[in-house]
Amino acid sequence: MILCSLYPPPSPRTLPRYLLLVLFHPLFITCWFPAISLQAQVEVPQAHHENAEAIVRRAVALAKAGDTRSAGALLQEGMRRIQDDPRLVTEMAGISYMQGDLDEAKQWLWKARRMGSQDPYVAEFLGTLYLLEGNVEAALVLWNPIGLPKISDKQLGTGLETVVHARLASMSVPLEAESQFTAQAYRRASRVVALQGVCGNVRQTSAPGSFPLELTATPDGDYQISLHCLEKPGFGTSWPSSALMLARGVGYQTVHLSHPNLGKRAIAVQTMLRWDARKRRAWMSTSAPLAGRPSWRLEIFGDARREHWRAIAADDRSLQQVFLHRKVEAGIAVSAVLGSRATWRNGLSFSNRSFTDSHVVDRAAQLSFDARLNGGSAIRYGHQIHTDILRIPTRRVYSFLAADLSAERYTGLNHTIGRQQLRIDTVWNPRVANDDGRVSFKIHGGLSQGQLPLTELFSVGIERDGSIHLRGHVGTHNGWKGSALYGDRYLVTNLEVDKSIFRLGVVNLKLVPFLDTGWVRDPERTYGSGKLRFDAGLQLVAATAGGTELRLSYAWDLRRRRASFYGWSEPFP
């Protein structure tokens, strides 16, 4: 203190001497700057606190008078001087909302939360903004910690009563008056409704598989909840739906007949008949709620095929084998919704397959049978589960995992085959109002143990009977099966972006650029791919509100430098 007294505050006359002391005598800085900093730390926050209160009052008064521009400018100036008070940021969100900019209002509210605001008003306001955009799950995630929303005691039904019986509707979406409706309840209801398969308007603006849910505020502050379900069209429901169902497969010598909701009991009957002489197939499935419970479902299915194969080598595209494949399979499966995050399926099936000489191909080109063409009877048990990995509804980012484990016992050959498949789907919807620009990325792989018949190896390519898409590799050649990549192990990725072109009534036309990569291992090094394959191209997709899609794909195999075109419809069968 004695030393510091040697350097009193400068006057205008002594200012040059003080500047020299700053340069050559650091004692000046050590004496005076800590005192200035201490004064700022002690005195300024109290002044800032008082100023924040005054600024908020003045801004609210201006906003109520209709001068939102001046109110916003006042708050901006206050935030420039006071950077640690979330009340200014919260009021700025209200100004943005009054000006009609919902995105900016959300950004201010998120900033207030990052600043540590614990005000329930911030969470309620932010959830309301997401609800106005139609993102119900995000609103529930923000509201649930503050006890919202409460179901009104005037709640009448669930919105599903026009589609299924009242008992099934109430069990699918259980709503108890004066209780809180949670995000977990919404997710579980979406899974149960998806398992029944009666609604076609699956939302793509939020999580895949979720359904439009309306929350309507009542005068007492509670909410009425209604699920909007557009029933899937069944054959015979109307002339347009029947014509569409028949037309989507007639170009491929296939007819689809289905009814997803017999007697309003969620009983589904689906059939597919293909009379193509080179790959005939008849498939049928019947499913219904198990013991009247919509969260459990029983399915009985049957499948019969008669396919002519011309197996082609993956590298040099030379003909390797020609044979006729016959297969008959019948089975039963039980599915269930496990809580709000997973759907489980167990299945048991019996099959018989045979491989014989084909009578419709050129015998001069026919080669010897592979040792893997083993027929006979088999019993198969499969276990599948579909569960959530990541859900960020406020960012509209979702990731799901699907696992399929099975074991098949060949009774005549006395050996067992095991198969494991894993798929991870990630979806991001950048738009709020629709799925325009939706980005999806899939990575899936599989491996098997045992000596599988050639037709039971993993089939990687684009083909109507396959589900592992590598869209630059068509699984049929001139109508014959056998030109895909086949192996006992594979790894495939699919990246695509949906871009809506225009909407015509209930049809949405989209252009989808994509990039596929794939690797397939064949122990015999004949039908697999020793190198990584890259396929890029475009898809033209015509999607209806009922869930039916017609896809036309043009892809370019970057390694072989050849183009391919393919068309198919979904869902298939």
Side-chain angles (χ1 to χ4, degrees):
M1 295 300 294
I2 296 174
L3 291 174
C4 290
S5 64
L6 298 176
Y7 303 103
S11 64
R13 191 172 56 182
T14 61
L15 183 60
R17 185 173 58 183
Y18 271 79
L19 292 177
L20 292 176
L21 287 172
V22 170
L23 293 174
F24 299 103
H25 204 310
L27 183 61
F28 173 82
I29 300 176
T30 6
C31 291
W32 287 104
F33 275 46
I36 296 172
S37 302
L38 182 61
Q39 182 180 9
Q41 293 175 6
V42 173
E43 296 177 2
V44 173
Q46 181 65 28
H48 279 191
H49 178 74
E50 295 173 356
N51 289 339
E53 290 283 356
I55 291 172
V56 168
R57 287 196 299 267
R58 289 175 55 194
V60 170
L62 288 171
K64 289 182 177 179
D67 192 359
T68 57
R69 184 174 181 180
S70 298
L74 179 62
L75 290 170
Q76 291 277 13
E77 175 63 21
M79 287 186 292
R80 187 183 65 81
R81 293 189 294 109
I82 309 172
Q83 301 179 2
D84 57 351
D85 198 319
R87 290 173 298 176
L88 297 173
V89 180
T90 303
E91 293 300 328
M92 193 63 203
I95 298 299
S96 299
Y97 175 75
M98 295 177 67
Q99 293 174 344
D101 194 339
L102 301 187
D103 289 336
E104 186 176 271
K106 287 192 302 182
Q107 292 174 10
W108 288 121
L109 291 172
W110 279 115
K111 183 177 180 180
R113 288 171 67 94
R114 289 194 298 270
M115 293 172 67
S117 175
Q118 301 296 326
D119 189 354
Y121 170 76
V122 175
E124 184 177 0
F125 190 4
L126 189 56
T128 302
L129 294 178
Y130 280 103
L131 184 63
L132 292 175
E133 294 176 348
N135 194 339
V136 176
E137 185 177 357
L140 294 175
V141 168
L142 292 164
W143 282 353
N144 287 166
I146 60 173
L148 294 176
K150 295 289 186 180
I151 302 175
S152 172
D153 56 0
K154 300 178 182 179
Q155 177 73 37
L156 299 175
T158 64
L160 286 175
E161 289 78 9
T162 59
V163 180
V164 296
H165 280 289
R167 182 173 178 272
L168 279 176
S170 62
M171 294 177 67
S172 300
V173 190
L175 300 175
E176 184 179 350
E178 300 184 354
S179 65
Q180 184 184 16
F181 187 66
T182 64
Q184 288 77 13
Y186 173 61
R187 293 165 185 161
R188 183 183 184 279
S190 295
R191 284 190 174 274
V192 172
V193 174
L195 182 64
Q196 293 183 60
V198 297
C199 297
N201 54 338
V202 179
R203 283 193 64 109
Q204 298 294 347
T205 54
S206 57
S210 62
F211 291 86
L213 188 71
E214 182 178 353
L215 298 178
T216 305
T218 60
D220 56 2
D222 294 337
Y223 287 84
Q224 291 188 356
I225 300 171
S226 178
L227 183 69
H228 295 282
C229 173
L230 178 64
E231 185 177 4
K232 285 184 178 180
F235 184 75
T237 304
S238 64
W239 283 107
S241 64
S242 302
L244 179 63
M245 189 177 298
L246 292 173
R248 73 185 183 100
V250 70
Y252 314 117
Q253 303 181 60
T254 306
V255 61
H256 299 263
L257 299 176
S258 67
H259 201 300
N261 190 20
L262 287 175
K264 290 191 173 183
R265 298 182 181 276
I267 301 175
V269 178
Q270 298 177 323
T271 61
M272 186 270 288
L273 178 64
R274 182 169 62 211
W275 60 89
D276 186 341
R278 293 176 178 174
K279 44 183 182 294
R280 293 174 182 169
R281 185 181 180 188
W283 172 86
M284 183 187 70
S285 171
T286 302
S287 61
L290 183 61
R293 293 179 292 178
S295 59
W296 288 76
R297 195 162 186 86
L298 176 66
E299 178 187 4
I300 301 174
F301 59 91
D303 191 6
R305 308 186 186 201
R306 186 178 186 274
E307 303 166 337
H308 294 280
W309 282 60
R310 296 174 65 91
I312 298 176
D315 293 332
D316 58 9
R317 309 302 295 170
S318 61
L319 181 64
Q320 297 293 312
Q321 298 170 275
V322 179
F323 58 89
L324 173 63
H325 171 230
R326 293 186 179 93
K327 180 181 178 181
V328 178
E329 183 178 14
I332 186 171
V334 176
S335 304
V337 174
L338 306 179
S340 62
R341 303 183 63 89
T343 303
W344 157 90
R345 184 179 188 270
N346 265 4
L348 183 67
S349 64
F350 302 88
S351 64
N352 181 274
R353 60 179 58 85
S354 63
F355 300 91
T356 58
D357 183 6
S358 174
H359 299 286
V360 295
V361 298
D362 184 7
R363 289 181 177 274
Q366 187 168 342
L367 304 177
S368 61
F369 283 154
D370 192 331
R372 289 182 294 185
L373 297 184
N374 295 319
S377 299
I379 179 172
R380 179 180 182 271
Y381 169 76
H383 178 86
Q384 301 173 358
I385 190 165
H386 183 279
T387 185
D388 298 336
I389 299 178
L390 176 68
R391 300 184 74 95
I392 311 177
T394 54
R395 299 288 185 180
R396 294 179 293 277
V397 176
Y398 306 89
S399 187
F400 310 95
L401 181 143
D404 186 354
L405 311 176
S406 67
E408 190 169 12
R409 178 71 175 179
Y410 283 79
T411 57
L413 300 177
N414 198 27
H415 70 266
T416 303
I417 294 172
R419 295 163 60 101
Q420 300 85 40
Q421 287 181 273
L422 196 69
R423 189 182 78 244
I424 298 177
D425 297 354
T426 303
V427 177
W428 173 49
N429 286 311
R431 294 293 183 91
V432 173
N434 51 52
D435 62 349
D436 188 19
R438 179 170 61 98
V439 180
S440 63
F441 177 74
K442 300 179 182 179
I443 178 169
H444 43 135
L447 58 92
S448 60
Q449 302 85 26
Q451 187 177 353
L452 281 79
L454 176 60
T455 55
E456 298 301 316
L457 293 173
F458 295 117
S459 174
V460 178
I462 183 69
E463 209 264 325
R464 295 183 187 93
D465 294 332
S467 59
I468 309 172
H469 288 173
L470 195 61
R471 282 164 280 195
H473 294 71
V474 179
T476 58
H477 180 68
N478 295 328
W480 304 86
K481 283 197 170 188
S483 62
L485 301 178
Y486 303 95
D488 62 349
R489 297 183 183 182
Y490 77 94
L491 182 66
V492 172
T493 65
N494 307 114
L495 174 65
E496 61 184 34
V497 180
D498 288 14
K499 178 61 181 177
S500 294
I501 301 176
F502 67 90
R503 292 180 180 270
L504 181 61
V506 297
V507 178
N508 182 19
L509 193 63
K510 299 184 291 185
L511 193 64
V512 183
F514 63 85
L515 174 64
D516 299 338
T517 63
W519 168 83
V520 185
R521 192 198 80 162
D522 178 18
E524 303 295 331
R525 299 183 180 181
T526 303
Y527 302 113
S529 174
K531 299 179 180 180
L532 194 63
R533 301 296 180 100
F534 299 90
D535 296 344
L538 289 173
Q539 279 187 176
L540 186 65
V541 181
T544 68
T548 301
E549 293 183 350
L550 177 64
R551 293 176 174 259
L552 303 177
S553 171
Y554 180 84
W556 182 261
D557 183 349
L558 300 181
R559 185 169 291 279
R560 291 188 299 162
R561 298 183 181 180
R562 56 179 297 179
S564 59
F565 176 82
Y566 202 77
W568 76 101
S569 62
E570 292 186 354
F572 187 86

